[in-house]
Amino acid sequence: MNKKLVAALSGGAALLLALTGCSDDSNKELDSWAKKFCDPAQAQFKAIQDANAAMQATEGGSTDSKKIQQTDSAAFQKISDAYASLAKSLDKAGAPPSDGGQDAQKNAVNELNSLSKGYESLQKQIDSLNTQDKAKFAAGLSDLSEGIKKLNTQSEQAFKKLESGDVGKAMANQKGCQSQSGSGAPSAKPPKSS
């Protein structure tokens, strides 16, 4: 059951961590904007990766329900904090110098703040689950998985707009916005859970 939760979580993190690509264009204004956002964002992307990795470590069937609850609760808190910090970084960077950049930036900031609140809510939900009853606990994890999927779907469109065209290329050229291979980063396409 925890595996479904982690798979759902991967989607939101993947939106932020899958900013890779190549560009021969040299637009200094866009590169400067991307650096303003990506440099401070790198620590937040790592926090999301680390939280995801911690949750994956407890996904084995033999893991105690209380341990899963504690690990997932701490992970949700870290992810909530990371998304709030990403929203602040993006707000501070300002709108990217591109057509529709202001709207894309505003929408992405709103979505990041919404994700932060959503994960805060999930933390409260997991903290309230009964770890003594394995069946109820498993059902609760399943509900949390659905909540994560909704959060990921909600944020996807704003990120697509922000990361489109030359803005996405400029972000992909910044080390802070590139996924860290080999460090437990989720795949760009979250696995489909049944």
Side-chain angles (χ1 to χ4, degrees):
M1 208 49 77
N2 202 26
K3 196 176 284 191
K4 286 177 98 176
L5 188 66
V6 172
L9 176 63
S10 299
L15 289 173
L16 297 171
L17 296 169
L19 299 172
T20 57
C22 300
S23 172
D24 293 331
D25 300 342
S26 57
N27 186 329
K28 291 185 182 190
E29 209 176 333
L30 265 177
D31 287 342
S32 175
W33 174 87
K35 187 170 178 57
K36 270 192 232 173
F37 171 65
C38 294
D39 282 359
Q42 187 171 17
Q44 304 314 317
F45 296 145
K46 182 168 181 352
I48 291 168
Q49 282 181 309
D50 291 348
N52 192 29
M55 290 177 66
Q56 287 175 342
T58 63
E59 72 182 48
S62 62
T63 306
D64 177 63
S65 297
K66 189 71 176 165
K67 174 77 172 158
I68 292 171
Q69 182 183 49
Q70 290 169 345
T71 302
D72 290 1
S73 177
F76 288 151
Q77 181 61 57
K78 283 181 187 171
I79 293 167
S80 174
D81 292 346
Y83 280 130
S85 291
L86 286 168
K88 286 178 188 164
S89 293
L90 187 54
D91 196 39
K92 190 174 180 182
S98 64
D99 289 340
Q102 190 167 1
D103 285 341
Q105 182 241 7
K106 182 181 171 188
N107 289 339
V109 167
N110 288 339
E111 294 301 338
L112 287 166
N113 282 321
S114 178
L115 279 167
S116 176
K117 288 182 178 118
Y119 280 102
E120 188 178 306
S121 174
L122 291 176
Q123 181 191 19
K124 289 175 185 169
Q125 289 176 46
I126 198 157
D127 287 346
S128 70
L129 293 180
N130 179 356
T131 58
Q132 302 302 316
D133 185 331
K134 292 223 180 243
K136 282 185 181 176
F137 184 72
L141 286 179
S142 181
D143 289 345
L144 287 174
S145 175
E146 290 304 312
I148 292 169
K149 285 182 202 172
K150 285 178 185 171
L151 286 174
N152 293 340
T153 301
Q154 173 188 345
S155 66
E156 193 170 336
Q157 292 306 314
F159 281 108
K160 279 184 180 174
K161 287 177 189 165
L162 180 68
E163 297 163 7
S164 65
D166 290 338
V167 175
K169 290 176 187 174
M171 290 172 77
N173 287 330
Q174 297 300 317
K175 185 179 178 186
C177 281
Q178 294 173 355
S179 72
Q180 309 298 312
S181 62
S183 60
S187 61
K189 290 185 181 178
K192 292 186 179 176
S193 53
S194 51

